[in-house]
Amino acid sequence: MRRLKLALAAAMAITALAAPAASFAQDSLAASAPKEITPASLPDVPRNQTIVLGWGVAASSPIGVTNPWALPGYTHQEGNVFMWEPLMYFGIFKGEFIPWLADSMEYTGTDFMGLEIKLNKDAKWSDGTPVTAADVKFTFDGQLNNEKLPYHANFQQFVDSTTIVDDLTVTVKFKTPAPRFKFEVLTQKFDTGIPIVPSAYLSKQADVTTTPGSTEIPHSGPYDLIAWNANQKIFDYRPDWWAVKAGRIAEPAVKRIIIANITGVSMDTVAQRIVNNEFDSALDMRSSVIGNILAQNAEVTTHTGNESPFGYLDWWPNSLWMNTQIEPYSDPNVRRAISLSIDRDTINNVLYDGAGIATIYPFPLYPNLQAFADSPGVKALEEQLQPGKFDLDESAALMTAAGFTKNGDGLWEKDGKTVNATIQGFENIHGDIVPILVEMLRNGGFDAAINFGPDAYQNMADGKEGLYMFGHGASLFDPFEAFNLFHGKYSNAIGTSAGNNRFSRYKNPEFDAILDEIAPLSSDDPKFIEGATKLMGMYWKDQIDVPIIQWLHRIAYNQHYWKNWPTAANPAMGTNGAFWAQTGTLVITSLQPTGAQ
């Protein structure tokens, strides 16, 4: 559900500018959280030391909730990310770990049964006390023992114990080989990974999941929360931030962050505020909107400058999913026939000005994953299976073999029933592509339509008939987690909801056996690559779902006041440019002033 929250935050185009915060009155956490945070006085900070960001300020959490363990209610996406830090970050576009609270985090053997973490000696909480091994152990033990916390399942599956060696050293003993634990759980990137929390503060709370945090909770990040109401959220830089002394980063030029609430505001209005230099950045936008911004203000840029596709690859490649447990989607011939009716070249040309955004993979093509996709074994399978092929004749042959015939409306029919190809999706993020897909599917003989209604996601989770336009929030470094979405142990029975967006309900013992065999292996192990290549072939051959597009974040970066935004031409620290992601702190603290007054 973590990825869904992000998708829907964008899909809602984030109640009016002065709308009240979302109601959480039924939640005890909301009842105990302050309704507003209002400072006695607000120091003046010049505009050229202030960054103004358009986002939601209470769309996902009650006002005042800054404690990462406050659940439900906490989100990193509404600015709280500027308060919290991980052991390490990951620069996705450089393929590099970025040490942060930890100087090092290394497996103690080739069996991946242990991990040693060494902390930076200068790391401190905002109250001046050191970040120590006790905080790391408290964080890990909390995730292990408290089933309400978001990474409890990961810790429960892998972690046997956490041991303090000295004030700056922690060792973790695993129950089973955990070659991906360091990256998937302990490293922050996009919307995943855990922050380290202060043991001295949280250990004194009666219930760590109902403690709001507000402005009281010590944090290690560079900004203090000083104001928060339904209209905006303000953070000010604290000059004693440990990371500067430690040499992690230069003194940040951004002294104040204002997050202006755009919940319910039209994207045209948001775009105009960027054009007018009122906003320095905002949530990601559709191509036509961002194109208009670029045409009106030459100081605005994107990840790809002023050239299409105006964005970077997000970690959420979209497919047409379907419930493989029910007819006719249980027939691989039907699934393959659906894929053959999709003209990916047309998608690239019509929506992306020829940029190669259409995809044949269930994972984003970041450096390590691109290397896997380009490996000889995968390339040979691609040549053999032609997963991106568009061929209506071949599609028709497969449908005929599956027992379907065309009816008078030109639609495939069997036993008096057409193939329900209604696409469930979200209008504000799929409004450009789904109509094109519907036309392609109908040309292929499938009874396609659009459902952007409020029941769309629930229909996916419930496994209803039709197709589901949704992403794969899984792999970032190697393909394991994407393939793990299709493991049979997650194949929920009909009549139950699909957990964690595993909508295909796919079950194949051979697939599972290979996945289990490579789970303990490092991604550079030849046996891992061999097994993953087999899984890639099975994904394509069995057409588990129909991959459509890599997902793009088209974010406008206004360079009137601030430069050094991370772009393709300027990778900066290698992070993606979303200030709301777990790496948002690196984006904001790396910005440089242009000199504008």
Side-chain angles (χ1 to χ4, degrees):
M1 294 298 291
R2 195 177 300 116
R3 174 68 226 189
L4 176 64
K5 288 178 71 176
L6 175 62
L8 295 189
M12 292 185 296
I14 3 177
T15 30
L17 188 61
S23 174
F24 290 82
Q26 76 282 6
D27 189 270
S28 60
L29 174 61
S32 62
K35 300 307 176 188
E36 288 189 357
I37 295 173
T38 305
S41 62
L42 193 63
D44 288 332
V45 176
R47 178 65 175 90
N48 60 6
Q49 295 179 24
T50 300
I51 193 163
V52 184
L53 306 169
W55 191 251
V57 300
S60 301
S61 65
I63 291 175
V65 175
T66 59
N67 167 22
W69 284 7
L71 298 167
Y74 176 83
T75 177
H76 65 275
Q77 290 186 354
E78 296 177 358
N80 289 334
V81 68
F82 305 127
M83 297 175 63
W84 299 102
E85 297 173 318
L87 295 168
M88 288 190 177
Y89 292 106
F90 192 77
I92 193 71
F93 293 114
K94 289 186 175 179
E96 296 175 354
F97 286 91
I98 303 171
W100 210 253
L101 290 174
D103 283 337
S104 65
M105 186 160 52
E106 301 294 339
Y107 286 100
T108 55
T110 57
D111 58 359
F112 302 103
M113 290 294 290
L115 191 71
E116 182 182 71
I117 301 165
K118 289 189 173 293
L119 297 173
N120 186 278
K121 62 180 178 57
D122 294 317
K124 287 183 172 59
W125 298 107
S126 55
D127 63 3
T129 60
V131 176
T132 70
D135 298 302
V136 176
K137 179 173 171 56
F138 179 83
T139 300
F140 290 7
D141 287 351
Q143 295 283 353
L144 176 63
N145 299 318
N146 192 326
E147 63 183 15
K148 295 181 181 179
L149 296 183
Y151 282 87
H152 170 70
N154 301 79
F155 276 82
Q156 188 178 57
Q157 178 182 355
F158 290 107
V159 175
D160 178 80
S161 61
T162 301
T163 302
I164 296 175
V165 177
D166 56 46
D167 281 351
L168 298 177
T169 309
V170 172
T171 57
V172 182
K173 179 182 177 183
F174 295 114
K175 302 174 185 176
T176 187
R180 286 162 196 84
F181 197 85
K182 169 186 171 181
F183 178 78
E184 298 291 351
V185 177
L186 303 184
T187 301
Q188 286 193 336
K189 63 281 170 197
F190 291 96
D191 296 289
T192 65
I194 62 171
I196 301 302
V197 297
S199 60
Y201 177 87
L202 284 176
S203 64
K204 297 175 182 177
Q205 308 305 314
D207 185 344
V208 296
T209 65
T210 61
T211 300
S214 190
T215 59
E216 300 171 358
I217 189 168
H219 51 281
S220 64
Y223 293 92
D224 293 327
L225 174 64
I226 62 168
W228 189 358
N229 58 34
N231 299 324
Q232 64 181 5
K233 194 171 182 179
I234 302 176
F235 296 86
D236 276 2
Y237 176 68
R238 56 183 187 89
D240 60 347
W241 183 35
W242 69 273
V244 176
K245 177 184 177 182
R248 291 289 195 242
I249 200 166
E251 182 80 20
V254 175
K255 305 305 182 185
R256 173 167 291 172
I257 302 170
I258 298 176
I259 302 178
N261 188 32
I262 58 172
T263 304
V265 178
S266 76
M267 289 312 299
D268 288 339
T269 301
V270 174
Q272 194 59 51
R273 296 190 72 177
I274 293 175
V275 169
N276 296 345
N277 301 329
E278 298 172 47
F279 284 171
D280 298 295
S281 190
L283 84 166
D284 57 311
M285 303 177 180
R286 298 307 93 211
S287 179
S288 59
V289 175
I290 205 161
N292 287 336
I293 294 174
L294 296 172
Q296 293 181 64
N297 188 336
E299 292 184 304
V300 178
T301 191
T302 72
H303 185 78
T304 55
N306 60 0
E307 301 292 333
S308 180
F310 308 126
Y312 61 81
L313 294 184
D314 188 35
W315 70 308
W316 202 53
N318 274 217
S319 288
L320 290 174
W321 300 64
M322 60 207 83
N323 184 348
T324 63
Q325 292 187 12
I326 63 174
E327 294 183 350
Y329 323 102
S330 55
D331 188 338
N333 282 334
V334 173
R335 302 197 295 265
R336 174 63 175 162
I338 290 172
S339 182
L340 285 163
S341 70
I342 303 301
D343 185 349
R344 292 169 177 81
D345 288 340
T346 294
I347 290 172
N348 285 334
N349 292 330
V350 171
L351 289 182
Y352 304 107
D353 294 330
I357 304 303
T359 191
I360 55 175
Y361 304 102
F363 46 76
L365 294 176
Y366 295 131
N368 287 51
L369 287 159
Q370 182 71 67
F372 172 72
D374 290 340
S375 63
V378 173
K379 281 299 181 186
L381 283 170
E382 183 182 344
E383 179 68 24
Q384 174 192 348
L385 299 174
Q386 300 182 65
K389 187 177 184 181
F390 167 59
D391 191 323
L392 292 181
D393 290 337
E394 188 173 332
S395 177
L398 289 174
M399 291 303 292
T400 300
F404 286 83
T405 58
K406 285 277 185 77
N407 65 17
D409 295 324
L411 300 176
W412 294 110
E413 188 175 293
K414 183 179 181 181
D415 299 328
K417 188 175 181 180
T418 59
V419 179
N420 184 341
T422 299
I423 299 177
Q424 318 290 327
F426 310 100
E427 185 172 10
N428 283 316
I429 60 173
H430 294 136
D432 55 354
I433 188 166
V434 164
I436 294 173
L437 293 174
V438 166
E439 183 177 352
M440 291 178 178
L441 289 166
R442 292 195 71 85
N443 287 339
F446 300 95
D447 196 358
I450 299 174
N451 179 29
F452 287 150
D455 61 345
Y457 178 78
Q458 195 60 50
N459 289 342
M460 301 180 197
D462 291 344
K464 296 290 181 66
E465 287 188 357
L467 308 178
Y468 321 143
M469 189 72 178
F470 205 83
H472 303 73
S475 288
L476 293 166
F477 192 77
D478 69 40
F480 180 85
E481 291 299 336
F483 293 141
N484 198 36
L485 292 170
F486 310 117
H487 195 293
K489 65 185 177 184
Y490 304 116
S491 180
N492 289 8
I494 295 173
T496 62
S497 289
N500 293 317
N501 308 324
R502 301 175 187 271
F503 300 129
S504 70
R505 302 172 189 249
Y506 179 74
K507 195 163 191 176
N508 180 339
E510 182 183 358
F511 188 96
D512 297 349
I514 297 172
L515 197 57
D516 292 340
E517 184 179 347
I518 67 173
L521 306 178
S522 171
S523 58
D524 59 1
D525 189 310
K527 291 184 178 179
F528 176 89
I529 298 170
E530 179 184 355
T533 300
K534 291 179 182 177
L535 294 174
M536 188 78 258
M538 295 174 75
Y539 170 81
W540 282 334
K541 186 176 181 179
D542 219 14
Q543 202 70 65
I544 300 175
D545 60 23
V546 179
I548 301 296
I549 53 171
Q550 296 279 332
W551 194 253
L552 288 179
H553 264 174
R554 301 182 186 93
I555 304 174
Y557 308 123
N558 189 312
Q559 300 179 103
H560 182 73
Y561 293 106
W562 299 106
K563 60 184 180 180
N564 201 42
W565 296 93
T567 64
N570 174 44
M573 297 185 77
T575 67
N576 61 306
F579 58 82
W580 58 89
Q582 295 281 25
T583 49
T585 293
L586 302 185
V587 175
I588 300 304
T589 55
S590 296
L591 294 177
Q592 300 168 1
T594 63
Q597 298 299 309

